[in-house]
Amino acid sequence: MSVIKSSSFHTHTHKSLIVSSSKQLLAVYPENSLLCRSSCLVGSASCIFSPGPIWEELRATDKQQFRPGAGRIGRREDELKVPRFVGPLGTIIIKCKDFRIIQLDIPGMEECLNIASSIEALSTLDSITLMYPFFYRPMFEVIEDGWHSFLPEQEFELYSSAISEWRLSYVNKEFSVCPSYPPAVIVPKAIDDDALRKVATFRHGGRFPVLSYYHKKNGMVIMRSGQPLTGTNGRRCKEDEKLINATLRAGKRGYIIDTRPLNVAQQARAKGGGFEQEAHYPQWRRIHKSIDRYHILQESLIKLVESCNDQTQNMDRWLSKLEASNWLTHIKEILTTACLAAQCLDREGASILIHGTEGTDSTLQVTSLAQIILEPRSRTIRGFEALIEREWLQAGHPFQQRCAQSAYCNSKQKWESPVFLLFLDCVWQILRQFPCSFEFNENFLIMLFEHAYASQFGTFLGNNESERCKLKLQQKTMSLWSWVNRPSELSKFTNPLFEANNLVIWPSVAPQSLQLWEGIFLRWNRSSKYLDEAYEEMVNIIEYNKELQAKVNLLRRQLAELETEDGVQESP
């Protein structure tokens, strides 16, 4: 916990908040505190803000606690020897979405109440258009327009020479067929748009099967969709059966991976949902894998963060709480399913269709991780960015709902869930097992986690492409990729150990192979000084090794030239 001793505080990201006696809440931006400064009245407090840090910090507020008191409460119970303030003292505790906890000790009850109400108002804005990305103006040179970096047409071009059996369809151009799909999707060439519209009425949310990944090694594919709406009467859709079978080659079979346990899928039929009947899809084998969602994941995150923040527990209690959170169990389930999907493609030569209920959560976790395992490009920085765009943003993962709150908020909404954080954790687990196969480092994953929950960029706003178009995010906000893909920033996210690996990588999902992601869950509870020093030393060793290798290569060339000259002189 960061405890504020005086009228100002500094967070770990070097942003500051100054509380003055004139009831002002002032954000000081390190680069230029005068740029785009404006003011607004919130209650009886005047809030003056510059382009961002405080607004960004307040949007990242997960929970605020207020308590009056006469003394300062330190980080631990044994820090009570500090001098007490004279007169009334108010304490505000700000719990952030990145799991940071900040404590403000403010002399004067009226000032404290005004500040608390200002923070509460700015951290709970009703409209998306009032959020900071709509007011942010970049203070860096925009080299690349990130909104146009990973368009579906560009991604399709990467496969066009190899997939003559697929086409780019604009059937959803006006978002009329499926509100959570992008305007352009890749579908079998043998299926026309009229058939796609009929299939959309048979799939949950209109999410008809579309291409997620093409495995160049053998031409097998991963498709994703929503659940079929078979209902209790066993409704059929011949266009759906034709579409799915069109992905199979002669004599080949496919697998349908349902991310729900069988009993849950059966219960869904009573509500109009269901699963593919084997009698109607004879060339496909259905496999049910249990991946939890919604409140189960949210409760797991809450328990994990609570245990990580408890500094008083002994070893047995810590291990017991870690196990009780089930966080690592969720990671194991997701990775196991992703490995199964990758195995079906690469080793068995079979195409697969993946879906759960909506096809926007566990489905995307599995399709994305399977590509991390199979596709070397997805393990590069730009390839991973393209994966996030294609399999999460354009695929309709509802970031606005899932990332509305983090681990501290009291109001538990059923649609809040750390689905994306779990995915990033799974990627980190693979990166830890294959430290030389990824172009990006851990900081890159942490950065994506932070911006998914609170950001000055508009990339993760909204729940799907339709909402982002209505909000005009491309015209009114800056893309995260415009900032990330600058050389000065890329250097911070580049893995110095990276060596291109064109092979499939198979992560271990054994319990002893999975670890707590300390870089996320423990970074505010312990100093990273020695880890940072070790990382810098590793970078220095790698750079020195490169210099030595360059010298060796130069000497070898010089030796070869000398040997050639000697041979010419000796010849008659």
Side-chain angles (χ1 to χ4, degrees), residues 170-222:
Y170 292 91
V171 66
N172 198 44
K173 188 175 181 179
E174 303 296 330
F175 303 104
S176 57
V177 176
C178 178
S180 60
Y181 270 177
V185 291
I186 303 175
V187 296
K189 186 174 289 186
I191 307 300
D192 59 30
D193 286 351
D194 288 336
L196 293 177
R197 294 186 182 91
K198 293 179 180 178
V199 177
T201 63
F202 180 68
R203 292 281 171 173
H204 186 102
R207 295 177 67 87
F208 54 89
V210 298
L211 180 70
S212 175
Y213 170 69
Y214 179 88
H215 198 37
K216 294 181 180 179
K217 175 182 176 180
N218 54 17
M220 298 298 104
V221 299
I222 297 177

Side-chain angles (χ1 to χ4, degrees), residues 2-18 28 30 57 75 100 102 104:
S2 301
V3 182
I4 314 311
K5 298 180 180 178
S6 62
S7 61
S8 67
F9 76 86
H10 296 268
T11 70
H12 290 67
T13 51
H14 308 293
K15 302 167 187 175
S16 60
L17 176 70
I18 299 177
V28 180
E57 201 70 49
R75 297 187 185 184
R100 183 170 21 177
I102 301 171
L104 305 178

